């Protein structure tokens, strides 16, 4: 048993090896050798030896041959209701035909279909000199090898004369030559599957035929009248490639095409989403509405674009990894306790590819992220400035026109708004998800954030940096209003502009006793100071911006102005951050700052009653 | 012990009895078990806090517990889970137990120091217990200043002291392992013959030793500032609150690699054993491990993109954060490729390993979202970040811990755990985990901030889904606790190598004797030297092919 098994395996191995070697021999080595040693005429013999594709052509069914008993038969006798495998060989062939027939027999053995039941086999000798007796001999040999009953009536070994042989060979595209010098035929190797009507359906080349391929070929040739429903389904996934004579899984083709298309699509998506400024992306995300926040600012759609691209990219990678894991785990599952792994090498180029490719892709994403970030941190020059002071646990807003708000911020639509944020105590974070606006609010330092609202409405404001007991209660709303409504709302305040409040405070704190406005006063002149360079005592210069002004009020010794004495007291414990902002706004107004950024002023004409925020915040706050 | 007399050898469990033999042991295996018991206890304490949090989050209003209580819950959940469970977990339990066995040594380099590490851990844990029972701490596990130094009125100093102390446990363990790996490998066990678990432990130990001191000093500064109002972090006194964030994250980012690298090492062991084949690309995986450790030190600023760091610092950290993702990607691809043409079986450890790869991949990919500057602006400090790190820590690390626990359980206890229950638990954990944390990605992008105990109404549905998942996850975690315990007494006896794995630890009996190896092994083979069919003669190879 083991010997036979071993012999079969050896045969399988040899046939595969030969199957690989023979074409190499024919098409590479032999021509090379022969070319070196052979006269031209013999080279031309070999060159003409091949299969010519003649799918759907008709095999001449009226060609006459002799069967194994010597009777004259028409070829059509064997073409009844079943598909037929046709093999052109010759029985005295020194090597190749034996291999063809052996290979054919192997394949037939592996078939669930039986020779004679679902299909027939016709073997025709291309050598007109061969006799029916020889054909019978061969038949006996191969039928014994095939080993199934009932095959004798289904497998036919024919011989014939030159004319009929040539007719059939030409019809199926079997180009061969007789070499008188050796007395041998030079011919291609392969088998043909024909429909019951004698039309050529499939070619299978070489000497080794995949059992599955032949099965599919027979089923298709029989126009699917043989084979089970499973076969019909499987056939949907396979596709015959005439050039190679093989059935290829459509799936692999689909996967390959899909892979290329996906990479191209991702590249396109990257370019499309990263380049443009987006305004309508959110409407496309409508289908995901409950899962996606509103996009209510100019930058929101751009941020969403990057998010969606990353969703696609990362979703794809995750899917591929998961599918591969599942596929490998199932395909290579251990079926018996002693089953070993089949291969344990490594593929260097793969490892380098999946090291370098991520770096490239990540660099692209990084650059896109930087682009978005730069836009988020650079406010446009004509933005309305609103001060925000965060303190546990409320948000306090100062509009330049003097309006103050707690936990509610009213802004006009379509106008950029720059927020100057600072905390009275601990770190908070100003977060408006619908604007994709997010900035930590630090004590002791001004930070800026900006947005431009695109849709009127009410949007959540959250504190998103943990700040103590009522962190989750430090919430509010941003009300985006139409410009006309906003102007009406602005006139509802009563205290006068922020700068005028600052002026009052300036006098109240007696700042004007030192900062009289004379160049010879005890304190530097504040008119025109904002935005100018200031020479400090240690020789350095600094631009007089908000941070400098704040520091000068709260910690005057930190940056002494050249030529002045260090006599200014600190106002650290006398003013809170809001009051500092008022003072700063006043000092800015002394440089004509407000003229550069005209605030949204009240309209002319009758003033209707100011409209309060339509929805009040549900909790009242104690400032 | 056993009645049948087959165990004439004494193993490390029965070589001595009594509390003193455990509390004064210097056997690395017993110390590993001491850690296992302590860690399990801390896991359930931290987990209990999570349960309360998720129950609170069923409704948008804060109605189950007060704000202060909720704040204390999430703070302690973070502190306990990070420092008292995740950071010590695989190194202190499995590293201690398995590392010397894996390299053919009788013990670690400094056994007494090893015991001291455990005692230091216990002292740190006692500080935490004190904090829990005496009113808690509510600064968040990140202790951001100036809240923690000026505004908080809870036990900040005690907590920071407890963490400082347990930091030393980390440092000493790391030191021990580094010396052990350098000096105590068996003859013939060159660096490139080491199992990848050892590489991971080595890289982890280097991070532990280099990064933990920064945390120690940072928390000491917090305590000093709080007690003496020095003005390091208080802007009113001229300090800078952002400085704290730089110090803290300089440690805490490498800390997350301390947490995940040992898990990756375990997964390399599991994938190779249960595919019965060597890892695909050993060199790349080993170097990727070192690469993660190195780059992990360079990315701390990505926690501060909206905090007020400069644009150029932000850009640098963003780019470096993308680079640190590359070695992790390499590992995931290499693990997947290891399955190819292997002989894959699906025992519980393998289920955990496969779950790890899937969930870690998702968690890691969402890191790409967070590293993108413009996108992080939106999702920073939202539930998106919470989902991201829970996917990696719980979906990754905790699953790796359980995988390693089941894998080495026969070696540790001498018993087999019940496979059916174990598989069921793995499945429940996987499903429960995804149900709990996937909705949180959506919540985060919608804008729900972290650390909120009352939230906007529209977030309720997703929160309810998350809590429902958490209940399933909780059941999943209770199961191993039960059956592993059960198996210690009633489980089937395990042979020396029930998984037919390579590795020196499997050449010892289960459980191993106190001295590990009677004769020091000599190593001549590469790691994961599983035979493949390629080495077989042709007919037998064909017979194997299915």
């Amino acid at each position: 048993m083991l010997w036979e098994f071993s012999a079969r395996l050896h045969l399988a191995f040899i046939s595969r090896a030969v199957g690989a070697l023979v074409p190499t021999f024919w098409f590479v080595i032999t021509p090379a050798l022969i070319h070196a040693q052979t006269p031209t005429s013999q080279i031309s013999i070999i060159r003409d030896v091949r299969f010519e594709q003649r799918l759907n052509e008709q095999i001449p069914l009226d060609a006459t041959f002799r069967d194994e008993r010597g009777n004259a038969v028409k070829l059509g006798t064997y073409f009844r209701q079943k598909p037929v495998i046709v093999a052109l060989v010759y029985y005295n062939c020194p090597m190749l035909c034996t291999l063809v027939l052996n290979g054919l027999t192997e394949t037939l053995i592996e078939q669930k279909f039986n020779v004679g039941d679902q299909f027939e086999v016709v073997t025709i000798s291309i050598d007109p000199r061969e006799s029916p007796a020889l054909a019978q001999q061969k038949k006996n040999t191969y039928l014994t090898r095939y080993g199934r009953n009932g095959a004798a009536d289904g497998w036919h070994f024919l011989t014939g004369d030159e004319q009929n042989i040539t007719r059939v060979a030409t019809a199926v595209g079997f180009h061969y030559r007789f070499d008188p010098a050796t007395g041998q035929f030079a011919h291609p190797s392969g088998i043909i599957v024909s429909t019951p009507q004698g039309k050529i359906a499939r070619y299978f080349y070489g000497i080794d035929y995949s059992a599955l391929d032949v099965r599919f070929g027979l089923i298709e040739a029989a126009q699917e009248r043989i084979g089970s429903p499973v076969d019909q389904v499987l056939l949907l996934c396979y596709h015959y490639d005439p050039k190679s004579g093989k059935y290829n899984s459509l799936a692999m083709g689909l996967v390959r095409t899909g892979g290329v298309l996906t990479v191209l699509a991702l590249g396109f998506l990257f370019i499309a989403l990263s380049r443009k400024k987006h305004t309508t992306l959110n409407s496309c995300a409508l289908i995901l509405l409950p899962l996606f926040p509103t996009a209510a600012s100019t930058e929101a759609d751009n941020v969403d674009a990057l998010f969606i691209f990353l969703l696609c990219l990362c979703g794809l990678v995750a899917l591929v990894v998961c599918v591969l894991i599942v596929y490998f785990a199932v395909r290579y599952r251990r079926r018996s306790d002693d089953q070993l792994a089949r291969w344990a090498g490594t593929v260097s180029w793969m490892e380098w590819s999946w090291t370098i490719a991520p770096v490239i892709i990540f660099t692209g994403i990084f650059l896109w992220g930087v682009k978005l970030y730069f836009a988020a941190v650079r406010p446009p020059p004509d933005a309305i400035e609103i001060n925000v002071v965060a303190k546990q646990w409320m948000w306090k807003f100062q509009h330049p026109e003097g309006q103050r708000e707690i936990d509610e911020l009213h802004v006009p639509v379509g106008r950029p708004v720059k927020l100057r944020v600072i905390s009275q105590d601990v770190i908070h974070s100003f977060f408006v998800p619908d604007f994709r606006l997010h900035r930590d609010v630090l004590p002791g330092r001004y930070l800026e954030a900006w947005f431009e609202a695109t849709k009127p409405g009410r949007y959540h404001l959250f504190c998103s940096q943990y700040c103590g007991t009522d962190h989750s209660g430090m919430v509010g709303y941003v009300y985006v209003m139409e410009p006309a409504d906003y102007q009406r709302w602005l006139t509802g305040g009563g205290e006068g502009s922020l700068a005028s409040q600052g002026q009052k405070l300036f006098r109240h704190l007696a700042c004007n006793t030192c900062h009289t406005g004379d160049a010879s006063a005890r304190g530097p002149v504040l008119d025109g100071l904002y935005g100018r360079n200031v020479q400090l005592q240690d020789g350095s210069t600094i631009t007089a911006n908000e941070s400098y002004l704040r520091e000068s009020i709260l910690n005057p010794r930190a940056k002494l102005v050249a030529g002045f004495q260090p006599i200014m007291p600190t106002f650290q414990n006398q003013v809170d951050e809001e009051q500092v902002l008022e003072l700063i706004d006043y000092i800015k107004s002394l440089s004509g700052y407000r003229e550069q950024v005209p605030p949204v002023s009240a309209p002319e004409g009758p003033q209707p009653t100011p409209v309060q925020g339509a929805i009040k915040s549900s909790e009242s706050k104690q400032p | 012990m056993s009645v049948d007399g087959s165990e004439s050898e004494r193993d490390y469990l029965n070589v001595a009895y009594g509390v003193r033999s455990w509390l004064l042991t210097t056997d690395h295996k017993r110390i590993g078990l001491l850690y296992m018991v302590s860690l399990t206890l801390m896991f359930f304490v931290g987990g209990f806090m999570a349960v309360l949090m998720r129950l609170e989050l069923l409704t948008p209003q804060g109605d189950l517990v007060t704000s202060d209580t909720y704040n204390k819950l999430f703070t302690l959940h973070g502190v306990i889970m990070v420092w008292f469970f995740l950071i010590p977990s695989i190194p202190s339990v499995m590293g201690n137990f398995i590392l010397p066995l894996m390299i053919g040594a009788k013990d670690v380099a400094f056994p007494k120091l090893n015991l001291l590490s455990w005692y230091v851990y216990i002292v740190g844990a006692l500080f935490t217990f004190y904090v829990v029972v005496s009113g808690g701490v509510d600064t968040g596990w990140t202790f951001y200043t100036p809240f923690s130094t000026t505004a908080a009125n809870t036990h900040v100093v005690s907590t920071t002291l407890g963490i400082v102390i347990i930091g030393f446990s980390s440092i000493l363990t790391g030191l021990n392992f580094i010396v052990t790996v350098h000096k105590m490998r068996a003859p013939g066990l060159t660096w490139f013959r080491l199992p990848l678990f050892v590489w991971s432990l080595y890289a982890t130990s280097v991070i532990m030793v280099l990064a933990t001191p920064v945390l120690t000093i940072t928390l000491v500064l917090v305590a000093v500032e709080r007690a003496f109002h020095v003005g390091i972090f208080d802007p009113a006194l001229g300090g800078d609150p952002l400085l704290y964030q730089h110090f803290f994250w300089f440690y805490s980012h490498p800390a997350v690699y301390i947490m995940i690298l040992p898990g990756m090492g375990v997964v390399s062991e599991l994938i190779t054993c249960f595919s019965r084949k060597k890892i695909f690309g050993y060199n790349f995986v080993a170097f990727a491990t070192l690469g993660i450790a190195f780059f992990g030190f360079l990315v701390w600023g990505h926690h501060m993109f909206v905090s007020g760091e400069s644009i150029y610092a932000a850009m640098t950290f963003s780019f470096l954060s993308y680079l640190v993702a590359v070695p992790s990607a390499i590992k995931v691809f290499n693990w997947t490729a290891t399955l190819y043409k292997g002989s894959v079986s699906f025992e519980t450890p393998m289920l955990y390993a496969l779950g790890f790869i899937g969930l870690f991949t998702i968690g890691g990919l969402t890191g790409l979202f967070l590293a993108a500057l413009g996108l992080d602006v939106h999702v920073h400090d939202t539930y998106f970040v919470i989902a991201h790190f829970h996917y990696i820590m719980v979906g990754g690390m905790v699953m790796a811990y359980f995988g390693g626990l089941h894998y080495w359980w026969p070696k540790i206890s001498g018993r087999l755990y019940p496979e059916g229950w174990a598989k069921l638990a793995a499945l429940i954990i996987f499903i429960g985990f995804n149900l709990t944390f996937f909705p949180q990605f959506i919540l985060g992008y919608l804008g729900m901030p972290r650390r909120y105990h009352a939230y906007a109404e529209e977030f309720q549905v997703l929160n309810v889904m998350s809590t429902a998942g958490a209940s399933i996850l909780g059941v999943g975690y209770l199961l191993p606790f039960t059956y592993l315990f059960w198996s210690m007494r009633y489980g089937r006896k395990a042979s020396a190598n029930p998984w037919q794995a390579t590795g020196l630890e499997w050449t010892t009996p289960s459980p191993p004797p106190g001295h590990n190896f009677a004769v020091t092994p000599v190593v001549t083979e590469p790691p994961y030297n599983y035979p493949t069919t390629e080495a077989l003669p042709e007919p037998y190879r064909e017979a194997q092919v299915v």
Side-chain angles (χ1 to χ4, degrees):
Chain A
M1 277 304 282
L2 191 64
W3 186 90
E4 281 175 35
F5 180 66
S6 164
R8 267 194 68 195
L9 286 171
H10 278 90
L11 197 64
F13 174 73
I14 290 172
S15 64
R16 278 164 182 76
V18 173
L21 283 174
V22 163
T24 320
F25 204 76
W26 275 113
F27 298 118
V28 179
I29 300 176
T30 313
L33 288 174
I34 292 174
H35 198 92
Q37 301 170 22
T38 321
T40 333
S41 57
Q42 287 196 309
I43 295 173
S44 67
I45 289 176
I46 294 161
R47 228 180 259 143
D48 284 332
V49 169
R50 61 187 171 88
F51 261 110
E52 179 199 343
Q53 289 277 337
R54 303 194 88 231
L55 290 169
N56 274 321
E57 295 296 325
Q58 179 69 48
I59 300 175
L61 294 182
D62 57 343
T64 326
F65 293 89
R66 281 176 308 233
D67 68 13
E68 305 88 344
R69 282 182 285 264
N71 301 325
V73 290
K74 281 209 183 15
L75 196 51
T77 326
Y78 305 114
F79 287 74
R80 295 177 275 234
Q81 256 83 16
K82 306 172 204 167
V84 180
I85 297 180
V86 178
L88 291 170
V89 295
Y90 66 110
Y91 305 126
N92 276 323
C93 181
M95 183 173 78
L96 191 55
C97 305
T98 312
L99 294 174
V100 170
L101 286 173
N102 289 352
L104 176 59
T105 314
E106 288 296 317
T107 309
L108 294 176
I109 291 171
E110 288 169 45
Q111 291 296 318
K112 291 207 185 66
F113 296 154
N114 296 315
V115 176
D117 288 343
Q118 289 93 348
F119 69 104
E120 312 240 338
V121 185
V122 172
T123 320
I124 306 176
S125 167
I126 57 173
D127 189 346
R129 301 169 297 184
E130 286 178 349
S131 66
L134 181 56
Q136 180 67 55
Q137 237 184 344
K138 285 290 173 187
K139 176 165 177 168
N140 292 339
T141 312
Y142 284 102
L143 280 181
T144 315
R145 183 183 284 221
Y146 179 60
R148 286 188 213 174
N149 295 329
D153 291 327
W155 193 343
H156 317 281
F157 285 72
L158 307 179
T159 46
D161 60 41
E162 175 115 22
Q163 193 194 6
N164 282 297
I165 292 170
T166 314
R167 271 185 79 197
V168 172
T170 317
V172 304
F174 185 88
H175 292 275
Y176 68 103
R177 284 281 178 276
F178 179 68
D179 180 15
T182 54
Q184 301 297 335
F185 289 86
H187 62 89
S189 55
I191 58 173
I192 298 137
V193 177
S194 154
T195 68
Q197 294 77 28
K199 286 207 164 35
I200 299 166
R202 296 281 178 260
Y203 288 92
F204 295 111
Y205 305 121
I207 58 173
D208 196 14
Y209 316 108
S210 152
L212 188 64
D213 280 2
V214 169
R215 182 185 174 84
F216 280 155
L218 287 171
I219 293 171
E220 291 196 305
Q223 277 120 342
E224 302 175 4
R225 254 178 266 126
I226 59 175
S228 66
V230 177
D231 290 315
Q232 322 305 6
V233 174
L234 276 176
L235 270 172
L236 289 171
C237 305
Y238 281 83
H239 146 79
Y240 175 71
D241 175 18
K243 275 207 211 75
S244 62
K246 284 201 167 26
Y247 275 87
N248 288 325
S249 162
L250 272 177
M252 273 322 293
L254 276 173
V255 167
R256 258 183 239 119
T257 322
V260 173
L261 283 177
T262 309
V263 171
L264 287 175
L266 278 174
F268 173 73
L269 204 63
F270 180 90
I271 294 169
L273 290 177
S274 68
R275 291 271 173 277
K276 292 172 39 193
K277 284 210 154 265
H278 297 274
T279 47
T280 53
L281 207 65
N282 207 235
S283 25
C284 304
L286 270 174
I287 30 167
L288 298 169
L289 200 53
L291 306 176
F292 218 71
T294 324
S297 78
T298 51
E299 289 308 306
D301 275 316
N302 298 326
V303 171
D304 288 347
L306 176 56
F307 181 73
I308 290 174
F309 173 78
L310 281 175
L311 263 186
C312 296
L313 175 70
C314 298
L316 185 74
V317 172
L319 188 69
V320 165
V321 168
C322 291
V323 162
L324 276 179
I325 289 177
V326 170
Y327 174 68
F328 286 161
V330 169
R331 167 90 171 80
Y332 299 109
R333 67 189 183 281
R334 196 175 299 169
R335 291 176 181 79
S336 68
D337 255 350
D338 57 346
Q339 183 178 328
L340 302 175
R342 292 207 270 145
W343 172 80
T346 188
V347 183
S348 222
W349 68 262
M350 264 189 185
E351 295 198 88
W352 282 109
S353 317
W354 66 50
T355 305
I356 292 173
V359 174
I360 297 174
I361 297 174
F362 292 168
T363 306
I365 304 173
F366 160 73
L367 289 171
W368 188 348
V370 167
K371 182 165 160 231
L372 280 175
Y373 190 68
F374 269 49
V377 301
R378 287 184 177 160
D382 62 335
I384 306 170
E385 285 185 19
I386 296 180
N387 298 326
V388 183
V389 175
K391 82 193 271 293
Q392 286 171 321
W393 290 279
M394 64 183 76
W395 297 101
K396 302 174 93 169
F397 300 97
Q398 293 175 337
H399 290 258
E401 295 80 7
Q403 281 281 39
R404 288 170 187 277
E405 306 189 76
I406 297 182
D407 287 343
E408 290 179 4
L409 174 64
H410 288 78
V411 291
V413 71
R415 187 80 195 278
V417 174
K418 183 169 78 172
L419 301 172
R420 179 165 302 110
V421 300
I422 191 165
S423 165
Q424 190 71 55
D425 36 51
V426 298
I427 301 181
H428 300 272
S429 191
F430 192 87
F431 181 37
V432 183
D434 294 317
F435 297 165
R436 314 292 182 270
L437 171 71
H438 206 159
R439 203 87 179 111
D440 272 10
V441 178
L442 303 180
R445 186 173 147 197
Y446 292 131
L447 290 177
E448 286 180 1
W450 80 276
F451 66 93
E452 179 178 327
T454 52
K455 286 192 210 132
R458 181 184 76 153
Y459 304 102
H460 280 293
L461 161 64
F462 297 127
C463 171
S464 70
Q465 180 64 253
Y466 174 68
C467 53
T469 307
D470 213 14
H471 167 60
S472 44
M474 191 164 162
V475 299
Y477 291 104
V478 178
Y479 293 92
V480 178
M481 313 173 87
E482 298 289 358
D485 292 332
Y486 180 68
Q487 286 163 16
R488 271 197 293 276
W489 176 84
L490 271 182
T491 58
E495 289 179 57
S497 73
L498 197 61
S500 70
Q501 292 169 38
Q503 189 183 43
K504 286 200 201 96
L505 191 57
F506 190 81
R507 289 205 201 98
H508 175 76
L509 293 170
C511 310
N512 54 349
T513 56
C514 294
H515 295 281
T516 58
D518 292 334
S520 56
R522 285 190 290 257
V525 174
L526 299 179
D527 283 36
L529 169 65
Y530 179 73
R532 237 191 17 212
N533 281 339
V534 177
Q535 182 84 22
L536 298 180
Q537 196 138 80
D538 58 6
S540 61
T541 26
I542 192 170
T543 314
N545 59 9
E546 287 84 355
S547 299
Y548 169 74
L549 293 174
R550 179 179 175 277
E551 193 178 24
S552 302
I553 297 169
L554 299 179
N555 190 10
R557 310 260 167 125
K559 292 188 174 63
L560 274 176
V561 180
F564 288 89
Q565 300 297 313
I567 54 170
M568 176 170 167
T570 171
F571 287 84
Q572 176 108 26
N573 299 320
Q574 296 185 53
V575 290
D576 61 19
E577 296 293 346
E578 287 177 271
Q579 289 169 316
V580 170
L581 286 163
E582 289 167 20
L583 289 169
I584 288 175
D585 217 65
Y586 167 62
I587 296 171
K588 280 158 79 166
S589 74
L590 295 176
S591 303
Y593 184 69
R594 283 282 157 232
E595 280 132 41
Q596 292 158 30
V597 184
V600 185
S601 53
E604 304 296 294
Q607 310 289 329
T609 0
V611 176
Q612 298 300 323
I615 301 141
K616 289 215 166 286
S617 61
S618 52
E619 297 152 63
S620 61
K621 293 284 194 237
Q622 308 284 338
Chain B
M1 265 318 296
S2 78
V3 191
D4 59 357
S6 61
E7 283 179 25
S8 50
E9 273 263 358
R10 292 186 140 221
D11 59 60
Y12 79 100
L13 284 170
N14 63 15
V15 71
Y17 291 108
V19 173
R20 273 177 48 140
S21 73
W22 280 91
L23 291 182
L24 293 179
T25 181
T26 52
D27 181 352
H28 65 99
K29 301 183 286 297
R30 286 193 169 203
I31 294 175
L33 284 191
L34 289 175
Y35 270 108
M36 185 160 75
V37 169
S38 334
L39 253 68
T40 307
L41 180 64
M42 293 310 255
F43 180 74
F44 280 112
V45 172
F48 175 65
M49 297 185 176
V51 165
L52 287 176
M53 284 161 64
R54 284 263 38 112
L55 282 176
E56 167 65 84
L57 290 171
L58 274 174
T59 58
Q61 303 83 19
D63 40 17
L64 186 67
V65 294
T66 63
S67 306
D68 278 327
T69 308
Y70 186 84
N71 297 339
K72 290 170 188 171
L73 283 175
F74 73 69
T75 304
L76 285 165
H77 171 76
V79 168
I80 292 177
M81 287 309 205
V82 167
W83 280 297
F84 293 88
F85 178 71
L86 283 170
I87 285 183
S89 60
I90 291 184
S92 302
V93 175
M94 278 155 239
N96 264 320
F97 199 101
I98 298 291
L99 175 64
L101 289 170
M102 242 185 198
I103 61 174
K106 286 192 164 39
D107 208 309
V108 291
F110 305 117
K112 295 201 185 88
L113 198 68
N114 206 6
L115 182 65
L116 179 66
S117 292
W118 182 71
Y119 275 106
V120 169
Y121 173 93
I122 292 297
V123 172
L126 286 174
F127 267 84
T128 309
F129 274 124
Y130 162 70
V131 168
V132 169
V133 302
S134 70
V137 61
D138 70 342
T139 58
W141 81 277
T142 47
F143 296 102
Y144 269 23
T145 59
F147 180 78
S148 60
T149 47
T150 52
N153 53 6
T154 49
H155 296 272
V156 177
V157 175
S158 311
T159 316
T160 52
L161 273 181
I163 299 170
V164 161
I165 292 172
I166 199 189
F168 283 103
S169 174
S170 258
I171 296 172
L172 294 176
T173 302
L175 189 67
N176 224 334
F177 283 178
I178 292 175
V179 179
T180 308
V181 173
H182 272 284
K183 288 312 228 176
M184 299 187 62
R185 283 168 286 130
L189 190 51
T190 59
W191 280 91
F192 287 92
R193 286 183 179 160
L194 283 171
L196 288 164
F197 183 54
V198 179
W199 279 94
S200 304
L201 284 176
Y202 183 78
T204 306
S205 304
V206 171
I207 306 177
M208 276 177 174
V209 167
L210 290 180
T212 314
V214 176
L215 174 76
T216 309
I217 296 179
T218 307
L219 291 179
V220 165
L221 286 178
V222 167
V224 163
E225 170 97 339
R226 195 168 162 80
F228 304 117
H229 306 290
V230 178
I232 314 167
F233 306 122
D234 184 356
L237 298 169
D240 183 2
L242 224 55
L243 181 65
Y244 171 81
Q245 294 182 29
H246 281 288
F247 284 167
F248 178 80
W249 289 114
F250 186 84
Y251 161 78
S252 294
H253 193 83
V256 315
Y257 296 112
I258 295 178
M259 295 186 245
I260 197 63
L261 277 172
M264 291 174 156
V266 168
V267 169
S268 292
E269 297 300 312
L270 300 181
I271 295 279
T272 48
C273 170
F274 295 97
S275 310
R276 210 170 264 173
K277 106 181 235 243
K278 78 172 196 267
I279 194 97
F280 181 94
Y282 176 94
N283 287 357
F284 262 81
V285 177
F287 285 118
T289 307
L290 295 179
I292 293 175
F294 174 70
F295 279 104
F297 275 98
L298 305 179
V299 299
W300 76 90
H302 68 221
H303 300 269
M304 298 159 62
F305 285 154
V306 301
S307 304
E309 65 180 4
S310 80
I311 305 181
Y312 303 104
M315 282 170 65
T316 313
F317 284 119
S318 170
F319 185 69
L320 287 167
S321 302
Y322 279 111
L323 289 187
V324 81
V326 174
S328 301
I330 294 175
K331 286 193 173 198
V332 168
F333 298 143
N334 280 30
W335 286 322
T336 309
T338 305
L339 296 172
Y340 177 73
K341 285 202 174 162
S343 167
V344 182
S345 67
F346 300 100
E347 283 87 343
T348 306
M350 184 58 156
L351 294 181
Y352 280 113
L354 294 176
F356 175 103
I357 301 177
L359 297 177
F360 173 79
T361 302
I362 295 176
L365 287 171
T366 52
L368 299 180
F369 289 69
L370 291 164
L373 282 172
L375 193 51
D376 184 65
V377 167
H378 179 59
V379 290
H380 171 73
D381 263 343
T382 63
Y383 264 78
F384 193 91
V385 178
I386 295 186
H388 160 75
F389 65 70
H390 279 92
Y391 258 81
I392 303 193
M393 289 304 140
V394 182
M397 181 53 190
V398 175
M399 290 191 78
Y401 178 78
F402 275 64
L405 200 59
H406 285 75
Y407 179 57
W408 283 305
W409 189 254
K411 187 59 55 187
I412 294 173
S413 66
R415 306 278 182 153
L416 295 172
Y417 57 83
E419 184 69 38
W421 281 104
K423 286 199 169 98
L424 180 67
L427 192 63
I428 294 177
I429 289 176
F430 185 80
I431 292 175
F433 172 84
N434 277 304
L435 283 176
T436 309
F437 290 104
F438 196 81
Q440 294 185 5
F441 281 124
I442 305 172
L443 271 174
Y445 203 74
L446 280 171
M448 179 170 171
R450 288 173 72 164
R451 298 169 166 175
Y452 264 38
H453 100 291
Y455 52 81
E457 295 241 338
E458 59 258 39
F459 299 139
Q460 182 172 22
V461 172
L462 290 165
N463 270 296
V464 170
M465 277 174 64
S466 182
T467 303
S471 62
I472 301 174
L473 188 60
V475 168
Y477 285 140
L478 284 173
L479 280 174
F481 178 70
T482 320
Y483 64 69
L484 286 176
F485 215 43
W486 174 92
S487 78
M488 287 182 96
R489 206 173 135 91
Y490 299 107
R492 270 188 308 141
K493 292 255 168 63
S495 61
N497 192 357
W499 312 118
Q500 292 163 24
T502 61
L504 286 174
E505 74 268 29
W506 299 108
T507 62
T508 62
S510 300
H515 49 270
N516 295 348
F517 299 94
V519 174
T520 306
V522 176
V523 176
T524 51
E525 292 182 337
Y528 314 117
N529 200 27
Y530 294 97
T532 65
T533 59
E534 288 177 322
L536 294 181
E538 170 68 34
Y540 301 103
R541 198 188 313 166
E542 288 286 337
Q544 284 257 344
V545 171
V546 183

